[in-house]
Every structure is written in structure tokens, then in C-alpha cells.
Amino acid sequence: MIEPQAVLAPLSRAAVVLVVTVHEGDEAAARTRDLCGDLSGLVRSVGFRDLEAQLSCVVGFGVDAWSRIFDTPQPARLHRLPHIRGERHEAPSTPGDLVFHIRAGRPDLCFELATQILTRLNGAAVAVDETQGFRFFDFRDLLGFVDGTENPTGDASAKAALIGADDPDFAGGSYLVVQKYLHDLDAWNKLPVEAQNRVIGRDKLSNVEMPDDVTPSSAHRILTTIRDDEGNEIKIMRDNMPFGSPAAGEFGTYFIGYAASPTVIEQMLRNMFIGDPTGNYDRILDFSRAVTGSLFFVPSLTMLDTLGD
């Protein structure tokens, strides 16, 4: 029985995302493998302090790290996230060997687990990004819109996020794309709410989709809806989190997207940044700037324990 990692864990009140790069050499690789083998136990030890807070941690691996850490074939679709450049905006591709997506109902549990992970990796890896996210009111982003509305539920969530029988060697795994976006809230808040609705494709207050016949083709909702050749929508699982520092004037959204194939998310990004058709880009990018971007493979928990051994 293949057991996935906590990819499908429910949306949480708090999260920490750590992106790290692993040093060269056998010792750094060995210590990383050791952590993989012990990660489940580490999560249980920290999370036992408050079981109702549902602490979880998903770990994923970048393409540059896989062959250095593990002596097994890498997933066929694992690669660097492409750098996407549109006429006005671009989505960067930034370094990342491992990602740890930590979630809980309490920020202190996330903080403690992140501390324990980095302590174990001290001398073997270095964190290149740490983002502490929080749930903002009724699951809204800092632009004021509800985020994650289109997440599938039940069996459809597993179909969207987990690899199935089409790639049996990596069944139960997932592909994870993370991006950090910084918002220009001063400019955004100067827009009338009706104009904001047209940028997103939803009513800000009610969260109801605007009718297609009055929704601009550049709306975020339109450009991030991907369909197969038969017209069926291909879903992903989003677990975006707001983050920021009012004192530093930093306000953002950390995009966290799980999918059975990374091509779905990459097509969303091409639509957003290049446009569909070309030039018809996502107008949310006039107010939200992508500053990081990485792609990871998330092995099943069954495979992770084996890799750790």
C-alpha cells in the first residue's frame, strides 16, 4: 500500500516554507538522507504537543539535488522550473534543492519543526528562503480576495495532485511549484473594487465568479483555467499563504501548487506571464511581482522512507 505524504492536508491557519540548497559532498548527502528517514518521527514528536493542531510536513526535491542525494532514477518530469519572460513581466527560476512545506493550526509548532529541521541540516545545507505564512481572515489573500476556491475535493483532489498508475515507479508522489509574489498594495487599493473584480474575475465580497460574457479574457480566473483536449478542466491543489511585514512595507502571497504533472502549472504560468493569446497577460501581474520560483518532486511517504534508508 503506497502512502502519500501530507500533500492533501487541509488548509491550515499557519505555515512555514523552507527552501534549502545542499552542499556538495558525500557527507552532506548522507545527512540529508538521514533526515528523510527520520522526518516522520520528527513531525510526530513535535506535533504530539497538540494533536488537534494537525502538524504536517511535506518534503520535495529539486532536479539538481536528486542525483547527488539518491542513487535511484529521477522522476521523468522533474526539471528546473523554466524562466518565463513576457512582454512586461517575468517569472524567475531560482535555486532550491529541497523544500519543506510545514503546516499546522498553530504557528509555534511550525516554527519549532522548522528549527529542528535546520538544526539537523546545519553544516550540510543552507536555507535560501524562509517564509512564514498566516491565514488571513476568511481564507483571503492580502489583495482581499478568497484564495483556493477552485481546489477539488474528495477523490478529485487525489487525482489532481497525486501521480497515479501512469507512472507506477513514482505513484503516490506529486510535483510542487512554489513562488513568492510581492504586492504593490498602494497601487492595488487605488483601483475601484469593480476594476479589481475584473482583474480577478470574481466578486470581491461574495467570491462568486463573474459571468463569462462580462469577464475580461485577461482575468486571472480565465488564464489559470487549463483544459484538456476534450474541454475538461485540469485541476491542481493550491495552498497559498499570505505573508508580510507591515514595518518593512512587504505584503505578499506565497504560491504553493501541487499537481500530478508540472506541465499544468507551467501552462498556467505561461498564460499569466506571456498571455493567451500572446500579449493578453494576467493583469494581476501589474500589482504582484514574482521574485522566486522552483519546481520539486514530492515522493510518497513510502518512497521517502526507502530513500532515507
Side-chain angles (χ1 to χ4, degrees):
M1 180 68 178
I2 297 175
E3 182 181 358
Q5 292 192 62
V7 170
L8 303 181
L11 300 178
S12 61
R13 301 302 307 179
V16 171
V17 180
L18 294 174
V19 178
V20 307
T21 56
V22 179
H23 299 324
E24 298 287 343
D26 294 340
E27 181 180 352
R31 290 181 58 184
T32 303
R33 286 193 298 271
D34 288 344
L35 175 61
C36 292
D38 295 342
L39 187 59
S40 296
L42 195 59
V43 173
R44 285 194 298 270
S45 296
V46 176
F48 193 75
R49 301 178 184 185
D50 185 354
L51 295 176
E52 293 183 357
Q54 296 182 299
L55 176 68
S56 67
C57 178
V58 170
V59 59
F61 302 88
V63 64
D64 294 333
W66 187 274
S67 60
R68 290 193 287 118
I69 299 173
F70 305 120
D71 187 22
T72 60
Q74 72 180 37
R77 296 186 178 95
L78 180 59
H79 54 267
R80 292 186 183 181
L81 187 71
H83 183 160
I84 300 174
R85 187 186 301 273
E87 293 179 359
R88 296 192 60 180
H89 306 287
E90 60 183 302
S93 177
T94 51
D97 289 336
L98 275 75
V99 63
F100 297 92
H101 179 202
I102 304 169
R103 287 175 278 186
R106 292 171 44 174
D108 55 343
L109 291 178
C110 297
F111 180 89
E112 174 65 14
L113 182 57
T115 301
Q116 294 290 343
I117 288 171
L118 291 179
T119 298
R120 288 286 301 271
L121 290 175
N122 186 34
V126 60
V128 294
D129 185 54
E130 174 196 354
T131 301
Q132 299 189 29
F134 56 89
R135 197 59 65 190
F136 189 61
F137 294 113
D138 50 339
F139 294 91
R140 295 179 183 267
D141 58 28
L142 297 186
L143 300 177
F145 284 78
V146 175
D147 201 352
T149 299
E150 293 302 313
N151 275 355
T153 58
D155 293 341
S157 63
K159 180 180 179 181
L162 300 179
I163 297 170
D166 57 319
D167 193 359
D169 291 340
F170 298 97
S174 183
Y175 290 93
L176 169 60
V177 172
V178 297
Q179 292 178 295
K180 178 183 284 189
Y181 287 85
L182 296 178
H183 305 318
D184 183 351
L185 286 190
D186 287 340
W188 176 254
N189 289 330
K190 290 177 181 177
L191 281 183
V193 173
E194 293 77 9
Q196 294 180 0
N197 292 346
R198 290 193 294 272
V199 170
I200 303 299
R202 289 181 179 275
D203 180 79
K204 188 173 187 178
L205 179 61
S206 68
N207 190 40
V208 174
E209 292 183 359
M210 294 172 55
D212 287 346
D213 59 351
V214 297
T215 303
S217 60
S218 62
H220 181 71
R221 176 178 67 82
I222 299 298
L223 291 175
T224 57
T225 298
I226 307 300
R227 301 186 183 277
D228 61 20
D229 294 338
E230 298 177 351
N232 301 309
E233 184 176 353
I234 307 174
K235 297 280 192 175
I236 68 170
M237 290 295 293
R238 296 174 177 84
D239 201 350
N240 302 348
M241 293 295 282
F243 69 91
S245 169
E250 181 181 81
F251 305 92
T253 295
Y254 204 99
F255 171 78
I256 303 168
Y258 291 97
S261 170
T263 58
V264 182
I265 299 178
E266 290 173 357
Q267 184 60 55
M268 291 180 178
L269 296 179
R270 284 191 291 270
N271 288 355
M272 289 176 61
F273 286 84
I274 297 175
D276 183 24
T278 299
N280 187 49
Y281 69 91
D282 191 336
R283 295 309 190 268
I284 198 174
L285 298 177
D286 292 338
F287 308 92
S288 298
R289 176 169 58 94
V291 295
T292 69
S294 302
L295 169 66
F296 302 92
F297 173 71
V298 176
S300 67
L301 188 59
T302 307
M303 186 180 201
L304 183 65
D305 291 341
T306 302
L307 293 170
D309 294 338

